Structures are given as structure tokens and as C-alpha cells.
Amino acid sequence: MRKRTIGLALVGAVLLAAGGWYASLDKETRGLLAAMPTDADVLSWSVPQRDAAFRAMDRLPVLAKANRISPSPHPLPLPVGKPLVVPGLDQYMANQRAAGLVIVQDGRIRLERYALDFDAKGRWTSFSVAKSFTSTLVGAAIQDGAIHSLEDKVSRYVPGLRGSAYDDVTIRQLLTMSSGVRWNEDYEDPKSDVARFNNAAPEQGLDATVSYMRKLPRAHPPGEVWHYNTGETNLIGVLVSEATHKPLSRYLEEKVWHPAGMEAEATWLLDKTGHEIAGCCLQAATRDFARMGLFVLANGRSGDRQIVPPDWFAQATHKQKDDGEPGRGYGFQWWTYDEGSVAAQGIFGQGIFIDPKRRLVIASNANWPRADLGPQPAAREAFYKQVQALIDAGQ
């Protein structure tokens, strides 16, 4: 299975202060956080260190700064529905190293479980699940008239890309990861782009992502080859901010967090030049990740407001590019299933699975032993099918 990696070279947490939130942690957790390797990426952290950090990415003093996203003044109710009994659930949760699991059908919670000392009030990091939120903000910007068309060249909105390989790349091609610009997403390779671009010194006056991406050469003509590229999702975030003249977190708050009725505060980590890391690092409660699925099922409507164009999710959550896996594909920063479902996915087991036919949403957070290798990814796919079968059987 191809690697889906975080687009951020995570710096080890050297916790210097002993006040506030950090002081409230138990001694073992404080020790795990303090022992994280310096100048290392998330893949070098131990499993216990990740257990401690994934719920606290926005609260580690030297990891990264974060912008806050306020909860909706009108939270969307999630009433309890008929309990869904899933055989083997305890073993599945243990094997996944799941932190949170929320299953919603017809707007009602049918199953909610937590583990790893996590709970409904905590925030867990999203990794690449954030990509699907970022693409939704493109739809909102089109609805608002801030972006004219998906066929616009990205350099129209990001002047720093002019004269680069992105001059001929459209917004649609960024959304579908088919720019044709050369990129190495192997995060375990210290010479890969995904490992190097966050540590590269940005040119003066340019966003860090733009500064790195504009130097990349072309590998294929635009639109022809699908290639997973976290850096380009970061570019989409810059593009939305430039088009709307608002920080990405503020725009998310206005266009998704409040309209979708998110109940809890969220945060979004920032890069070294102060821009939200659009391909990663949105911290939120598991129930609010589930509410994002309900927002998609509602076609981006909130009351009488249409937040994205009426046909946006019909495009975004359907196969736009072949990703090489039978029965699967890639939309606008969403992983698609030929049977009609769609998913947002992040490394280490983060996900939002949406099944329109069954009005079903499955939101999950985890800390897999490996980023996206091992038995956990296939087991999660099997779990989705198990839940679908139980619902079809009248459970």
C-alpha cells in the first residue's frame, strides 16, 4: 500500500515549562513527551510517545504554534440511536490501537467507544484527514466568488508561483494531485521532498511552502499522472487564504466549523511562516470529525445556506483519478470507492468514512504501530464492510 504521509517535519518536544496543561499530566506522560527525539519526524517516535503526543500536538510548547477554531454557537445535536452491536469490537479496537470510534447513522450515534485514555472531550490530530477539509474550503471560496473557476491557474492566486512549473497547473489539477510536478513523498527517506521542504529556509517574503514548491521541476504534463503530494495540499491552503484574504483557520471556522455545528474547539498547526499546514494537523474531537461526514451528507447545506456549490460534493467525493487500487480512486482530496462511499484518511489510523446509501458516517482515531503498513489498514476496510453488512441485515 502506498504511503500517505504527514507533510510536516515534526520537531521533537523538549518541554521546558512545568506549568499549566503540562504540569497537569501524570509523571509517565510528561516523561514520554520530554524524551521525544529532537529534530526528528513522527515516524521516529515510539508508540507510547505517539500515544501521548497525538492528543496534544497543539499544546507542546516547541512543536508548533496553532490557530484556534471556535465551536459553533449552535452545535448540531447527535442524539443516541439504536445501539449497533459489532461482533469482535473489543479485539478490533485493540488491534487498531484505536483512541476513538464514533458511528453515526441517520444523524444518530449508534456506537461510540474510546481507548488509550482518550475521551469524547479530547482533541486528536488528523494528519491527512485535514486534506478533505482543505478541499472543502476551495468549494466554499468558489461559492463566495473568491475563486472564479477550478480551471484557473494556481499562479493567478499565488503570485509566488509565477515562472515555476506551476504556471500551467490548474486548481483542479492540484485538487486531484495531478499537477505533473516532480515530488518524492517517501517520508522515511531523509532526501525526499516531504522530509526536506519543511526544514528548508524560506525565501524572504514568501510562504515556506511556496518558497520550496516553486523550485520543483516538471515530471509529467499537467493532468496526466496521479501522484500523491502533501506539499500541494499545503499550496491549496495558501491559495484559499490568498483568494479569501483570511487565515485558513478563520475561513474553516466561518464556512465549516460553525455551519456544520461543531461542538468543540479545534486547532490547526502552523508552518514556520505562520500559515496553517493545510495537508495535515487539524486537532478536533472525534464527534466533530463525524459531524464533518454529516456536513458532506447534507451536501454542504446549513439550514437555508448553501456553503459550497450544489454540485461540489458530487465532484469532490467521486473518482476523478485512478489511484492504482481496484475499486478505488481519488477525488478532490478524498479517497473514493466505486460503490459510492468516500473517505478522508490520515496516517496512523485517522479517518472519516462516509456512505451516502446508508446515511452512515464512521469517524476513527488511532495510533497504528506503523504509519500505513501492517495489518491495520486492511482490517479497517474490513470493519467498514462489516458495519455496512450489519446495517443491511437490519441491525
Side-chain angles (χ1 to χ4, degrees):
M1 180 181 293
R2 90 191 135 264
K3 182 186 295 183
R4 298 160 190 166
T5 63
I6 174 177
L8 170 66
L10 292 172
V11 180
V14 183
L15 299 173
L16 304 177
W21 169 81
Y22 178 58
S24 72
L25 296 175
D26 62 86
K27 183 177 179 180
E28 181 180 4
T29 300
R30 292 201 304 269
L32 288 167
L33 295 177
M36 286 182 178
T38 303
D39 297 327
D41 63 71
V42 67
L43 294 176
S44 72
W45 295 354
S46 69
V47 170
Q49 285 172 335
R50 294 198 308 265
D51 282 349
F54 285 1
R55 75 197 69 206
M57 303 284 271
D58 53 2
R59 292 174 286 179
L60 303 182
V62 298
L63 181 64
K65 294 182 179 179
N67 278 347
R68 299 192 174 277
I69 301 157
S70 68
S72 173
H74 306 289
L76 179 70
L78 289 179
V80 175
K82 176 185 175 183
L84 181 67
V85 179
V86 181
L89 179 63
D90 289 344
Q91 190 63 48
Y92 171 76
M93 293 278 291
N95 291 343
Q96 288 282 301
R97 303 203 76 259
L101 175 65
V102 175
I103 298 179
V104 179
Q105 189 195 18
D106 288 328
R108 294 178 176 272
I109 294 179
R110 300 203 56 194
L111 188 153
E112 184 171 19
R113 291 283 295 273
Y114 296 95
L116 304 183
D117 294 322
F118 188 64
D119 59 30
K121 295 181 180 179
R123 293 192 296 267
W124 198 268
T125 197
S126 69
F127 293 100
S128 290
V129 168
K131 289 180 168 69
S132 302
F133 286 82
T134 297
S135 81
T136 301
L137 295 182
V138 175
I142 290 175
Q143 181 73 0
D144 286 348
I147 293 175
H148 176 259
S149 168
L150 292 184
E151 313 315 320
D152 288 346
K153 300 295 193 290
V154 298
S155 56
R156 171 177 174 176
Y157 300 91
V158 187
L161 293 175
R162 291 172 186 164
S164 74
Y166 287 97
D167 255 347
D168 295 325
V169 175
T170 66
I171 297 173
R172 182 183 299 275
Q173 288 159 353
L174 273 193
L175 286 170
T176 57
M177 293 199 175
S178 60
S179 72
V181 177
R182 192 179 72 191
W183 176 265
N184 180 350
E185 182 81 9
D186 186 352
Y187 204 57
E188 295 183 349
D189 177 2
K191 297 182 179 179
S192 70
D193 292 298
V194 78
R196 291 166 50 202
F197 89 122
N198 288 288
N199 291 324
E203 299 166 78
Q204 188 173 3
L206 284 179
D207 173 81
T209 298
V210 174
S211 179
Y212 186 90
M213 304 295 283
R214 76 195 205 118
K215 300 170 186 173
L216 298 176
R218 176 159 299 289
H220 308 281
E224 291 190 0
V225 176
W226 180 87
H227 183 71
Y228 194 75
N229 185 332
T230 292
E232 291 190 340
T233 313
N234 290 3
L235 279 185
I236 295 170
V238 174
L239 187 151
V240 170
S241 289
E242 291 287 341
T244 61
H245 307 290
K246 295 178 181 179
L248 204 62
S249 51
R250 177 74 59 80
Y251 201 56
L252 178 71
E253 182 180 275
E254 294 177 3
K255 297 300 176 181
V256 175
W257 223 252
H258 286 187
M262 305 306 192
E263 186 176 17
E265 181 180 75
T267 63
W268 210 333
L269 297 191
L270 308 177
D271 67 18
K272 64 177 62 178
T273 47
H275 196 281
E276 291 85 353
I277 303 166
C280 167
C281 310
L282 180 65
Q283 285 68 229
T286 312
R287 287 181 182 177
D288 285 340
F289 283 127
R291 285 183 173 94
M292 179 59 177
L294 296 178
F295 184 68
V296 174
L297 289 178
N299 199 33
R301 287 191 64 84
S302 175
D304 60 356
R305 295 175 59 200
Q306 183 69 49
I307 307 300
V308 296
D311 65 344
W312 177 258
F313 285 118
Q315 298 181 69
T317 64
H318 287 75
K319 185 174 183 177
Q320 301 285 337
K321 292 292 178 181
D322 190 334
D323 69 349
E325 291 189 13
R328 299 288 300 274
Y330 201 72
F332 294 166
Q333 311 278 300
W334 292 90
W335 302 95
T336 67
Y337 298 76
D338 290 354
E339 48 85 13
S341 298
V342 65
Q345 295 181 351
I347 57 170
F348 294 109
Q350 322 322 317
I352 306 172
F353 178 80
I354 307 166
D355 179 352
K357 294 178 183 177
R358 298 171 179 85
R359 306 293 297 172
L360 170 69
V361 175
I362 304 174
S364 55
N365 294 316
N367 179 17
W368 290 346
R370 302 177 70 181
D372 68 346
L373 300 176
Q376 284 78 21
R380 183 175 63 181
E381 295 296 314
F383 179 77
Y384 292 158
K385 292 179 180 178
Q386 180 186 14
V387 172
Q388 290 172 318
L390 289 171
I391 291 172
D392 289 345
Q395 252 266 25

